Amino acid sequence: KNEVEQSPQNLTAQEGEFITINCSYSVGISALHWLQQHPGGGIVSLFMLSSGKKKHGRLIATINIQEKHSSLHITASHPRDSAVYICAVRSGNQFYFGTGTSLTVIP
Amino acid sequence: DTGVSQNPRHKITKRGQNVTFRCDPISEHNRLYWYRQTLGQGPEFLTYFQNEAQLEKSRLLSDRFSAERPKGSFSTLEIQRTEQGDSAMYLCASSSGLGYAAPLHFGNGTRLTVT
């Protein structure tokens, strides 16, 4: 069993839809990261959070430490949001990664 | 701050050859990580440095793999006697030592193809 589980694995949405990607983890963490990876591109850090909620533009990330669960929401989705979204948790000196959620937003 | 830099971007090699990749982290970052990512999977941890000390090494890292960070700045990852299963994207990331919640910054990776 992986330390970090993401769902769904693949997601297709129409432009403008509200999108939710979920992440559950099984280890004790000091921080959780949401990362974005475009095809052939590098990885960009979207959020780092250890409690509560953060918002940046159309992106919102929440975390529930007691339930060991985090969600990434995208409001008013756009085709340029199409990418792989990866949840990563920091536990001690190590980072554990989910397998990613591949998002395609159709115009 | 030019971000994390990795070289080369792509490497094609024949099975059995040795390859070496380089990572230049963000200059003030003392923590450096190497990861491997295969298609459709999230990154897998390989090894971690704090300054020049290699503090953790994954069991995924066979004795054909070695990493160094001699002066606590850039790092190299060497794979000896490459195998086709080594084909993957090798990612480097760095973070500062300002607590465990410091952001992680990734390079663009080195894509290795072993033929």
Side-chain angles (χ1 to χ4, degrees), chain A residues 9 30-31 33 35 37 40-45 48 50 86 88 90 92-100, chain B residues 9 31 33 35 37 40-45 48 50 55-56 91 95 99-104 106-108:
Chain A
Q9 278 193 317
S30 54
H33 299 250
L35 310 168
Q37 186 173 34
I43 296 176
V44 174
S45 179
M48 182 187 66
S50 55
I86 302 171
R90 183 168 194 164
N93 289 327
Q94 281 211 30
F95 283 85
Y96 298 97
F97 293 81
T99 55
Chain B
R9 288 295 304 273
R31 292 178 177 165
Y33 304 81
Y35 297 93
Q37 186 178 28
Q41 299 296 315
E44 294 175 299
F45 171 77
Y48 156 67
Q50 182 155 321
L55 296 186
E56 288 195 47
L91 295 164
S95 70
Y100 285 112
L104 196 60
F106 281 86
N108 286 328

Side-chain angles (χ1 to χ4, degrees), chain A residues 3 23 65-66 70 82:
Chain A
E3 290 84 357
C23 173
I65 297 294
Q66 286 73 32
S70 176
S82 299

Side-chain angles (χ1 to χ4, degrees), chain B residues 37-58:
Chain B
Q37 186 178 28
T38 52
L39 196 64
Q41 299 296 315
E44 294 175 299
F45 171 77
L46 294 179
T47 190
Y48 156 67
F49 288 86
Q50 182 155 321
N51 299 312
E52 66 275 9
Q54 187 174 20
L55 296 186
E56 288 195 47
K57 190 174 172 179
S58 166

Side-chain angles (χ1 to χ4, degrees), chain B residues 23-85:
Chain B
C23 172
D24 287 89
I26 293 173
S27 59
E28 65 269 22
H29 285 183
N30 62 350
R31 292 178 177 165
L32 187 147
Y33 304 81
W34 282 100
Y35 297 93
R36 180 172 64 188
Q37 186 178 28
T38 52
L39 196 64
Q41 299 296 315
E44 294 175 299
F45 171 77
L46 294 179
T47 190
Y48 156 67
F49 288 86
Q50 182 155 321
N51 299 312
E52 66 275 9
Q54 187 174 20
L55 296 186
E56 288 195 47
K57 190 174 172 179
S58 166
R59 64 184 181 277
L60 294 174
L61 219 62
S62 76
D63 57 6
R64 297 185 298 107
F65 288 71
S66 62
E68 293 183 341
R69 195 183 182 198
K71 297 181 180 178
S73 56
F74 74 90
S75 176
T76 56
L77 177 69
E78 181 183 15
I79 309 174
Q80 296 182 324
R81 305 180 302 281
T82 53
E83 301 172 357
Q84 287 186 320

Side-chain angles (χ1 to χ4, degrees), chain A residues 5-88:
Chain A
E5 299 279 355
Q6 280 186 242
S7 63
Q9 278 193 317
N10 296 286
L11 182 56
T12 301
Q14 291 289 332
E15 183 174 357
E17 284 186 4
F18 180 83
I19 289 162
T20 296
I21 300 170
N22 295 300
C23 173
S24 296
Y25 53 91
S26 58
V27 293
I29 70 167
S30 54
L32 182 144
H33 299 250
W34 280 102
L35 310 168
Q36 182 190 55
Q37 186 173 34
H38 285 279
I43 296 176
V44 174
S45 179
L46 297 174
F47 291 104
M48 182 187 66
L49 64 166
S50 55
S51 65
K53 175 179 172 179
K54 285 191 176 180
K55 184 175 188 294
H56 185 258
R58 295 180 294 105
L59 302 179
I60 302 166
T62 63
I63 187 169
N64 185 318
I65 297 294
Q66 286 73 32
E67 295 185 3
K68 296 190 173 182
H69 181 269
S70 176
S71 293
L72 176 68
H73 305 286
I74 305 175
T75 61
S77 58
H78 190 278
R80 65 175 174 267
D81 297 326
S82 299
V84 174
Y85 293 84
I86 302 171
C87 172

